[in-house]
Amino acid sequence: MSKKIKAKEKLLIIYGAIMFLLTIVFVPVFEVWGREQEIIRMGHLFLFLSFNGNGKVNGFDTYYVIDYLKALYRVGAVTLLFAVMWKLLSEWEKSDKTQ
């Protein structure tokens, strides 16, 4: 038996790594302050650092709010891309078996 990693297994490993990066390491956030939640800046942050405030603005503490819409859009786009690649690999494997 060969211990070769198949193309679909490689694809799953790459997908898992990208999902880890998008959902844990580079989470889109807003830094906000005040009662009206005015946005100071937008950026990406490690998920567990988003619990800490960054400082004060006009006597108000600042805090991070996760941009769920952007995060969901990014996860959906990457999932769609990998689903198409998975389907193509499945079709290519079928055509290789028939020949």
Side-chain angles (χ1 to χ4, degrees), residues 10 20 24 35 49 53 61 63-64 74 84 87 93:
K10 289 179 187 176
F20 176 77
I24 304 294
R35 292 186 182 129
L49 292 178
D61 289 328
Y63 57 96
Y64 297 106
R74 289 170 33 177
V84 168
K87 185 67 174 167
E93 285 179 355

Side-chain angles (χ1 to χ4, degrees), residues 7-8 10 12 22 35 37 43 48 54 68 71 79 82 97:
K8 283 186 176 181
K10 289 179 187 176
L12 282 176
L22 288 180
R35 292 186 182 129
Q37 294 187 350
F48 300 111
N54 198 23
Y68 290 106
T79 301
F82 275 88
K97 288 180 182 176

